Amino acid sequence: MGYSFSLADIEYLTSPQGAHALEEVAALELSTRTHLADLGRVRARFGDRAAVLVETVQLRRRAAGKLDDAGGWLFTDDALQQSTPTLVARRRAARLGDRPVHDVTCSIGAELAALTAASSVVLGSDLDPVRLAMARHNVPRAALVRADALHPCSRDTVVVADPARRAGGRRTHDPARLEPPLPALLDAWEGRDLVVKCAPGLDFSSLDWAGEIEVVSLDGAVREACLWSPGLAQPGVTRRASVLRTERGVDAWEDVTDADPDDIPERAPGRWIVDPDGAIVRAGLVRHFAARHGLWQLDPRIAYLTGDRVPEGMRGFRVLDRIKFSEKALRQELTRRDCGSVEILVRGVDVDPAVLRPRLKLRGSAPLAVVITRIGRAGVAFVCEPGAVAGA
Ligand SMILES: C[S@@+](CC[C@H](N)C(=O)[O-])C[C@H]1O[C@@H](n2cnc3c(N)ncnc32)[C@H](O)[C@@H]1O
């Protein structure tokens, strides 16, 4: 939950005294080891303000891995958790270009900051006055107003929305239980160009969406599904997977759409196995991705890909051997190879790696990987070298 900020707290934190106090507190270690002593020190210096100061410094430190240039921002714990990572927000903003835009659920402004970098006309609104006051401090270039996203208060802009994903503290897959509810939000802005960020697991079947659904991953984790209304979608595209990576300080992305070719050969397994990114699997674009990179599927119903080389930047598993899958046969094969630790990948068969691993009784020294799946009806295990990133 975290500390519950008030408007008076924000007034203090953005005052010269508050800024000075934050600087002092930021110099403290505030680790588990020093926390009690540090808190005592902050209380002695700043009395009742101690909690708001310590919380703000800790949230700023947590934000550093997710948001760029947010070292002087204000957050609540929930708002930081809900914020869009800078790389994802920046990519969305770049796609919108310099069109005027209204972020109708702007919260503390993570998405808004990226939008102001791309467009000169950016409006933000939110129902929560505390978050809005924080956004005013965090993104001074945006015009901000307190407004209900279900009652349009702007004209002629693209509308960006990011309904809150938690209902009663739990994640929800029901679009009607978001805040604001997604069906009502779509009704309210009907006819406007609209982008809505949603949870990747959301059940879109009830929406009958006519535009594009983009599934986005960041550094291997699927982060969101984003709805683009028909006026913003690329012609002919209804699904897109955007795979974003921060590699050695450089932002990289690849996107695959259902307008790309998906002709792939049916061939025997190649020298490598590639487990495609979750965004590609979730968007149903495994074949399209394979076709682009000269890969093919182990089995047409399973998302594992195979080929004789691994696409640059992707993790691949070099195949050493293929056996018919049974626990006993796998144990014998791994023992024969002096295996001491194993990464287990499973698709299409009912095997729990956490249950299987101790039963393999590995006592050797070599690290290996095993890909367990099925080809046709047969369960197979590919014994592989540990995964390696091509070009790393
Ligand atoms: C997931 S957060 C948005 C995060 C934001 N995109 C960011 O990157 O920082 C959702 C926001 O919607 C706001 N909200 C919920 N219902 C709303 C409504 N009916 N009208 C306007 N804002 C609303 C919440 O106060 C919350 O700040």
Side-chain angles (χ1 to χ4, degrees):
M1 259 304 278
Y3 177 86
S4 177
F5 287 80
S6 67
L7 288 174
D9 289 331
I10 298 169
E11 202 174 321
Y12 167 67
L13 291 170
T14 54
S15 69
Q17 305 93 294
H20 192 76
L22 280 169
E23 250 176 58
E24 250 186 64
V25 177
L28 299 173
E29 190 173 318
L30 290 174
S31 64
T32 326
R33 189 179 62 82
T34 66
H35 194 80
L36 274 183
D38 286 342
L39 201 59
R41 234 186 269 174
V42 181
R43 278 213 188 98
R45 283 281 289 127
F46 302 106
D48 286 355
R49 306 285 196 194
V52 74
L53 289 165
V54 168
E55 176 86 348
T56 299
V57 167
Q58 287 182 322
L59 289 173
R60 284 179 175 177
R61 289 181 188 171
R62 260 178 45 208
K66 184 175 189 184
L67 305 177
D68 289 358
D69 305 323
W73 278 33
L74 299 178
F75 303 97
T76 70
D77 194 320
D78 277 355
L80 174 57
Q81 280 185 47
Q82 293 174 339
S83 64
T84 305
T86 299
L87 184 53
V88 177
R90 208 186 280 151
R91 175 118 165 92
R92 186 157 31 245
R95 198 168 153 187
L96 292 172
D98 60 359
R99 289 189 60 178
V101 52
H102 178 183
D103 180 346
V104 298
T105 52
C106 71
S107 181
I108 47 93
E111 191 100 24
L112 213 54
L115 292 168
T116 54
S119 167
S120 51
V121 182
V122 177
L123 171 65
S125 55
D126 199 286
L127 267 187
D128 183 330
V130 167
R131 290 185 179 202
L132 208 55
M134 289 180 165
R136 204 161 275 133
H137 168 79
N138 297 342
V139 194
R141 279 189 51 205
L144 291 162
V145 61
R146 186 166 180 222
D148 187 338
L150 298 179
H151 299 285
C153 66
S154 63
R155 270 185 315 191
D156 304 329
T157 66
V158 173
V159 175
V160 171
D162 176 7
R165 302 183 198 185
R166 285 158 202 269
R170 267 181 290 139
R171 297 212 169 246
T172 174
H173 296 298
D174 178 359
R177 295 192 65 216
L178 296 174
E179 289 170 12
L182 186 51
L185 187 78
L186 299 180
D187 281 352
W189 298 95
E190 200 186 347
R192 291 278 287 271
D193 284 342
L194 177 70
V195 192
V196 191
K197 169 188 161 187
C198 302
L202 205 71
D203 177 10
F204 296 111
S205 54
S206 59
L207 292 179
D208 197 17
W209 187 247
E212 172 188 317
I213 300 180
E214 177 191 28
V215 183
V216 183
S217 70
L218 179 60
D219 291 330
V222 180
R223 301 301 283 254
E224 61 177 67
C226 186
L227 305 179
W228 296 80
S229 64
L232 296 171
Q234 192 181 316
V237 172
T238 66
R239 288 278 189 284
R240 179 187 305 269
S242 291
V243 178
L244 312 186
R245 277 186 236 116
T246 42
E247 279 166 359
R248 289 162 251 148
V250 180
D251 298 350
W253 72 77
E254 171 173 17
D255 54 2
V256 185
T257 76
D258 57 353
D260 294 338
D262 70 343
D263 294 327
I264 51 173
E266 270 188 37
R267 284 172 57 185
R271 291 209 296 272
W272 294 84
I273 292 176
V274 171
D275 187 13
D277 186 276
I280 288 163
V281 178
R282 208 65 81 82
L285 298 171
V286 170
R287 290 178 61 89
H288 305 73
F289 175 79
R292 175 180 300 174
H293 293 290
L295 302 172
W296 57 96
Q297 286 178 284
L298 285 176
D299 177 283
R301 283 153 302 178
I302 305 280
Y304 284 131
L305 296 176
T306 181
D308 291 330
R309 48 170 290 281
V310 180
E312 182 81 10
M314 287 213 60
R315 194 159 174 254
F317 298 86
R318 198 166 80 83
V319 177
L320 299 171
D321 208 348
R322 167 186 171 164
I323 57 174
K324 188 168 165 223
F325 175 65
S326 78
E327 222 174 276
K328 188 174 167 203
L330 184 61
R331 188 165 46 241
Q332 283 172 349
E333 180 59 22
L334 294 180
T335 304
R336 189 181 74 73
R337 289 179 177 274
D338 189 36
C339 180
S341 62
V342 67
E343 179 178 1
I344 303 172
L345 290 86
V346 178
R347 276 190 198 279
V349 283
D350 188 16
V351 172
D352 179 349
V355 174
L356 175 63
R357 186 172 288 104
R359 299 210 321 214
L360 294 172
K361 299 189 172 73
L362 303 177
R363 311 239 191 281
S365 58
L368 289 173
V370 177
V371 178
I372 303 171
T373 188
R374 68 188 163 81
I375 296 183
R377 283 162 182 263
V380 289
F382 291 89
V383 178
C384 303
E385 286 180 355
V389 175

